[in-house]
Amino acid sequence: MELASSALESMTIFIVDGYISYSRLQIYDGSINGRSYEYDIVEWFDEVSENAGLVQRETLRRILEMNCEVEYLKKWLGGYKIKEMDACALESLYKSLVPLVSHADLEPYIQRIADGDTNPLLTHQRITTLSLRQKYVPFTRHSAQTTLQIFRLAAAYRSKVYPIKEGRRILEFIYSSNQFKTKGGLTAGTATTHYYASEEFKIKQEKTKSFTCSPEEVISGGDYKQSTYCHLLLGLYFSDQVEFITSTFAYSIVQAFTELEEIWKDICQDIKLGNLSSRITLPRMRQAVLEIISPNPHLASQIEVTCKKLESDLDWFGLVPTLWPNAKYVYSIMTGSMQPYSKRLRHYAGDLPLVSADYGSTESWIGANLDPCLPPDDVTFAVVPTFSYFEFIPIHRRKQDFSPVIDDFIEDEPVPLSQVKLGQEYEIVLTTFTGLYRYRLGDVVEVAGFHKGTPKLNFLCRRKLILTINIDKNTEKDLQIVVERGSQLLSKSARAELVDFTSHADSINQPGHYIIYWEIKGEAEEKVLRECCREMDASFVDHGYVVSRRTNSIGPLELCIVKKGTFKKILEHFIGNGAALSQFKTPRCTSNQVILRILNDWTVKRVRSTAYC
Ligand code: AMP
């Protein structure tokens, strides 16, 4: 008993250090007992993980204590003396009275905040910033602090395996989108945009003693093409100092290197003359970059020789270690919807390790990759139990169920973090410091192991079904597996490679059928494409799909090959509508009319599957 209570006391201190009082983070700063910062944060994490159940209860207690007077919680918990209850009783009360919700349920509150209602609606502390994740999501200082904390934790684990030199640089393909004011005067923008603008981002550079190659003016320029050019230019200008290459999602790195294949000559010219191409028109960005670079003809000619060779002999294989000889690894989110880009990333990275980055969302950070040397396919994320209060809805896939449901999972009652089971799949539910209470995130994860008492999660997919016409139900993951099969055949049978893909369930033309759009690099004969199409059609294992295909109530899969640059055009459409490149994820299924128009206008070849004939 005594042990438990002293553990709780020390845990409370840890929690406070972790997220409430920023200055207390200094405790991990190397000044304590001569221990290094990395050692301290790893030790801290071990302790909170060891006591994850307790820490979670305590985290919930703190969230509720701080916010029990807000309008939303009063609706459910009004009348209870929250501050007087112990954490255990509070946890059961909370779960029995507060309902599970989705964004739509909280939206009226968030909208009132956006419109300038200053009453405490979701949080006691006033919300002044909102993140955009299709909808508004509250963002507070706590959000930026946990971002800093997970970056430091993951960096500590990485440095054990891949130590980097202090005082050097990181080539970061990061982008802010424009921030704007809501009707009520709150600042709105993507979560990454807020983070790059925060104090915590500066602190991260100072504490980790690694500096991004690009100045703030490049990151926040607001024009992704100009920012990419400058990131590449400065990355190459500082090439011998770059310790690793990173972006939030792997897409941005692949996109940047694809761009480099086209623009390297201009970059060499700029490095040679200490000049900046006229394509950079934003005055602040121009000035900031010109202040950094000075003519370096020797470096320019070295890069030129290397790029010529990469282009003519190697199809850019091993671009990263060749151009950045001191880079130790490439670091980015490569799991989930980013998995299709890991092949191209692998190609660019040559034999450098690919390290998959952590798991989080605009709503909350969730878990850190503690095994940086594992390949992206095997990566898991250890939940950080101080970030939010996590619940897990056990879900089971329906087997041979033909009911016209919109989801293919059966659910059980949510369980707390301390009760999750190895091998079980769950949907994550969050209670956050930013005013989301029992909020269904919509991500499906599997418990793949444990780090002491905290689960290590394998990210499976977004829960929402993406392809469905009638009784068929396919998730993003199902589609990904099918496309992987088709693209393997493509690279085996033709000198071509899949660049990007999306899909659409066409239920207008009868019988309804799936369309998969591919952008490919290289050439493939129609015969090969037909084979790929057949292979994909036959690879959907969902019983509803198989039965429907056999009876022809779903027609043959259609594969459309789109022109080079189509997905870039789609990206530009989203960026034009306020998305930030740092958080961009190609939609794997779309019924958006603008996107479909782009896809159909740019389709150069269509083939239909012969499976099930
Ligand atoms: P956003 O809020 O736009 O940053 O996107 C967050 C979503 O991206 C999460 O809910 C996940 O679906 C996905 N995501 C984030 N991190 C990872 C990761 N490490 N692996 C796979 N998917 C991720």
Side-chain angles (χ1 to χ4, degrees):
M1 214 41 219
E2 211 181 293
L3 199 72
S5 70
S6 73
L8 180 61
E9 272 163 36
S10 63
M11 238 12 76
T12 311
I13 294 167
F14 280 125
I15 292 170
V16 170
D17 287 338
Y19 58 67
I20 301 299
S21 145
Y22 181 71
S23 60
R24 300 290 295 273
L25 265 181
Q26 305 298 331
I27 191 167
Y28 306 119
D29 225 16
S31 52
I32 296 285
N33 304 332
R35 294 181 309 191
S36 72
Y37 157 75
E38 279 80 6
Y39 177 82
D40 279 343
I41 197 154
V42 167
E43 193 184 57
W44 167 82
F45 186 62
D46 279 353
E47 276 184 70
V48 288
S49 305
E50 188 88 67
N51 298 283
L54 251 153
V55 173
Q56 274 283 276
R57 237 176 270 141
E58 199 53 29
T59 299
L60 178 66
R61 192 182 63 77
R62 293 194 65 88
I63 294 175
L64 296 180
E65 243 183 49
M66 279 197 287
N67 300 307
C68 57
E69 297 299 327
V70 306
E71 186 176 317
Y72 182 77
L73 281 182
K74 275 211 309 220
K75 179 169 153 192
W76 306 107
L77 298 175
Y80 288 91
K81 295 200 161 56
I82 303 296
K83 291 189 178 155
E84 289 169 23
M85 294 177 80
D86 74 58
C88 236
L90 194 53
E91 187 180 37
S92 354
L93 181 80
Y94 178 67
K95 288 206 238 174
S96 63
L97 296 181
V98 179
L100 292 173
V101 292
S102 63
H103 189 278
D105 300 296
L106 297 180
E107 196 163 3
Y109 294 86
I110 301 177
Q111 195 56 52
R112 278 167 63 193
I113 296 170
D115 291 344
D117 190 334
T118 53
N119 291 305
L121 302 179
L122 292 172
T123 53
H124 174 71
Q125 207 181 5
R126 194 160 154 209
I127 291 168
T128 54
T129 311
L130 292 168
S131 295
L132 266 176
R133 195 203 186 194
Q134 288 139 11
K135 308 275 169 51
Y136 289 138
V137 175
F139 182 97
T140 62
R141 182 87 194 273
H142 175 265
S143 319
Q145 287 172 359
T146 51
T147 305
L148 172 63
Q149 206 175 346
I150 198 160
F151 282 3
R152 292 171 120 191
L153 179 64
Y157 275 90
R158 280 202 312 279
S159 74
K160 287 186 188 185
V161 194
Y162 307 116
I164 57 166
K165 290 195 182 132
E166 277 186 2
R168 299 285 199 101
R169 291 188 182 264
I170 313 171
L171 171 52
E172 294 193 270
F173 293 102
I174 51 181
Y175 307 81
S176 296
S177 63
N178 292 329
Q179 287 181 320
F180 62 92
K181 292 282 180 202
T182 68
K183 192 172 137 202
L186 283 80
T187 306
T190 61
T192 41
T193 301
H194 300 323
Y195 175 66
Y196 299 138
S198 74
E199 196 52 29
E200 279 72 16
F201 181 62
K202 286 190 207 104
I203 293 168
K204 183 202 91 160
Q205 305 203 46
E206 283 154 22
K207 296 292 176 207
T208 54
K209 299 193 177 60
S210 298
F211 301 90
T212 191
C213 291
S214 299
E216 184 271 328
E217 291 82 350
V218 170
I219 299 166
S220 66
D223 177 317
Y224 90 91
K225 280 192 192 157
Q226 298 192 34
S227 298
T228 302
Y229 185 92
C230 294
H231 282 322
L232 287 165
L233 169 67
L234 293 167
L236 286 166
Y237 185 76
F238 292 119
S239 51
D240 60 336
Q241 293 182 39
V242 169
E243 290 287 298
F244 68 95
I245 291 171
T246 186
S247 68
T248 311
F249 287 99
Y251 176 84
S252 310
I253 302 184
V254 171
Q255 191 271 340
F257 290 152
T258 309
E259 193 71 13
L260 180 66
E261 292 182 19
E262 308 286 328
I263 58 173
W264 61 271
K265 289 189 183 124
D266 291 3
I267 290 184
C268 287
Q269 189 67 5
D270 282 352
I271 294 178
K272 184 174 163 191
L273 304 172
N275 205 345
L276 191 54
S277 156
S278 58
R279 67 177 81 213
I280 309 303
T281 55
L282 296 165
R284 279 183 72 236
M285 195 185 290
R286 274 197 81 81
Q287 194 187 343
V289 175
L290 283 168
E291 272 170 20
I292 297 173
I293 56 171
S294 46
N296 192 338
H298 176 67
L299 175 64
S301 75
Q302 255 181 352
I303 297 171
E304 202 172 330
V305 170
T306 310
C307 283
K308 266 189 195 147
K309 190 168 164 48
L310 281 167
E311 184 178 53
S312 57
D313 302 351
L314 299 162
D315 181 27
W316 300 94
F317 177 83
L319 166 163
V320 179
T322 317
L323 287 172
W324 288 279
N326 296 316
K328 312 290 186 295
Y329 53 86
V330 177
Y331 178 60
S332 189
I333 293 175
M334 298 165 195
T335 37
S337 60
M338 292 297 126
Q339 193 257 343
Y341 306 112
S342 60
K343 193 165 168 219
R344 192 68 197 159
L345 207 52
R346 178 76 285 149
H347 183 85
Y348 287 135
D351 49 16
L352 268 195
L354 295 182
V355 182
S356 200
D358 308 302
Y359 173 30
S361 66
T362 300
E363 290 85 344
S364 170
W365 276 103
I366 297 165
N369 173 8
L370 307 186
D371 307 292
C373 44
L374 288 182
D377 283 350
D378 300 333
V379 157
T380 59
F381 306 100
V383 178
V384 182
T386 57
F387 282 175
S388 287
Y389 176 72
F390 300 97
E391 290 174 80
F392 296 83
I393 304 176
I395 50 176
H396 311 275
R397 280 169 192 259
R398 286 174 197 269
K399 293 216 172 60
Q400 306 195 5
D401 180 341
F402 298 130
S403 58
V405 287
I406 47 145
D407 190 290
D408 69 341
F409 296 106
I410 301 171
E411 327 184 322
D412 282 336
E413 285 301 303
V415 296
L417 177 142
S418 56
Q419 283 173 28
V420 295
K421 302 246 170 356
L422 189 68
Q424 173 65 49
E425 292 181 12
Y426 298 94
E427 181 190 338
I428 295 190
V429 175
L430 301 169
T431 294
T432 69
F433 283 87
T434 53
L436 308 175
Y437 302 97
R438 306 197 83 204
Y439 172 100
R440 301 177 77 132
L441 184 62
D443 283 355
V444 179
V445 296
E446 180 191 37
V447 176
F450 289 89
H451 174 74
K452 306 195 181 285
T454 202
K456 284 168 127 182
L457 308 176
N458 180 2
F459 178 89
L460 293 182
C461 58
R462 298 282 300 159
R463 175 156 179 178
K464 234 175 79 201
L465 272 184
I466 62 164
L467 277 171
T468 180
I469 286 185
N470 46 28
I471 58 168
D472 52 307
K473 307 173 191 87
N474 282 295
T475 63
E476 177 170 347
K477 183 79 185 171
D478 299 324
L479 175 70
Q480 209 167 293
I481 292 169
V482 162
V483 169
E484 176 76 26
R485 296 279 293 268
S487 74
Q488 270 167 6
L489 196 61
L490 175 76
S491 40
K492 217 162 58 191
S493 320
R495 284 179 59 86
E497 198 186 300
L498 183 64
V499 171
D500 219 333
F501 69 94
T502 189
S503 67
H504 171 62
D506 176 1
S507 49
I508 306 261
N509 298 305
Q510 289 304 319
H513 70 290
Y514 295 176
I515 308 175
I516 296 182
Y517 295 90
W518 272 9
E519 179 174 328
I520 60 177
K521 189 171 193 236
E523 290 297 320
E525 289 174 27
E526 189 158 323
K527 195 173 82 193
V528 173
L529 296 174
R530 277 186 199 290
E531 241 341 271
C532 294
C533 184
R534 203 199 64 80
E535 175 75 14
M536 289 196 285
D537 200 11
S539 299
F540 281 103
V541 290
D542 165 58
H543 200 67
Y545 185 78
V546 173
V547 170
S548 308
R549 283 291 291 115
R550 281 197 194 128
T551 55
N552 206 34
S553 55
I554 292 185
L557 176 77
E558 183 174 357
L559 172 62
C560 294
I561 306 299
V562 295
K563 267 194 280 190
K564 187 176 168 200
T566 303
F567 281 85
K568 202 164 154 196
K569 190 148 179 68
I570 291 173
L571 165 76
E572 279 160 12
H573 168 76
F574 281 102
I575 301 258
N577 283 303
L581 185 56
S582 282
Q583 278 173 263
F584 180 73
K585 302 167 205 70
T586 299
R588 293 302 177 207
C589 181
T590 186
S591 42
N592 175 318
Q593 290 307 315
V594 181
I595 303 301
L596 284 175
R597 197 169 331 118
I598 298 174
L599 288 164
N600 290 324
D601 286 354
W602 288 46
T603 291
V604 287
K605 203 169 281 174
R606 288 172 191 270
V607 292
R608 289 294 281 255
S609 157
T610 52
Y612 300 99
C613 279

